[in-house]
Amino acid sequence: MTASLTPAERSTELSQRLQRVRSRISSAAAGAAAPTLIVVTKYFPASDVHLLAGLGVTDVGENKAQEAAAKASSVQAQGLKWHFIGQLQSNKAKSVVRYAAAVHSVDRLSLVTALGKAVAAEQARRTQAGEQPRADLDVFLQVDLREQAAGGGLSGAGASRGGALPQELAGLAEAAAETAGLRLAGVMAVAPLGADAGEAFARLAALSGELQRDHPGADAISAGMSGDLEAALENGATHLRIGSDILGPRPAVR
Ligand SMILES: *Cc1c(COP(=O)(O)O)cnc(C)c1O
């Protein structure tokens, strides 16, 4: 669909779509601090990341370890920050910490441990190789926002979109805060399918408040995609993850 466009035409298209999203953000965020816009480039080629960087985009998001690693190594854009936002297997931690500034999908203790080890190893490797040091990894704890029944079970509202249960957050936060190489940034969630995004993000904001009682610096809220960025901003989102409204509809699932 986009294959027939020249780079200049594609850049114009991306620029227009980016502009529309930015004006939606500024009308929804009116008054509040401007959120960080993470442009989700999954399924789109490295050439698009390059064009976006040229349009002033500073943060990009990817959700598949292999695709992200390949793209990050082929795009040499100064100061571009990569955010890993998809479900992550612990054995991919080593690869992800080579390029990612943040992981938004941390949902279990074993992943906290794996990321901590991987960052420490990568920091040591860069020191030895005389390369630029790697900063600590920003960790967002992903929460499953599906409504829980009184007994703790998840009531029928759709399939899991990843994430820890709300009652697991405090323990995960403690572990991340104590792990060298990691910086606990805050929480992340995807609105459950079929749920009211505003209600879901209000629950996320409350969980963020609880988290900040023990970890005052962990004030980031990563929430809001193309379809629900307004609801996310109304509920305090600091990081938006926007894909299709900027890149266009994703190619059919591979
Ligand atoms: C794909 C994806 C997004 C972007 O979704 P759009 O609806 O295309 O804006 C945001 N967050 C996560 C976790 C994703 O996987």
Side-chain angles (χ1 to χ4, degrees), residues 38-75:
I38 300 166
V39 181
V40 178
T41 48
K42 65 188 186 194
Y43 302 135
F44 287 90
S47 56
D48 278 349
V49 179
H50 194 83
L51 293 173
L52 287 163
L55 294 169
V57 167
T58 53
D59 295 82
V60 293
E62 289 283 335
N63 75 336
K64 297 238 168 27
Q66 221 173 343
E67 179 183 344
K71 252 181 248 180
S73 70
S74 73
V75 178

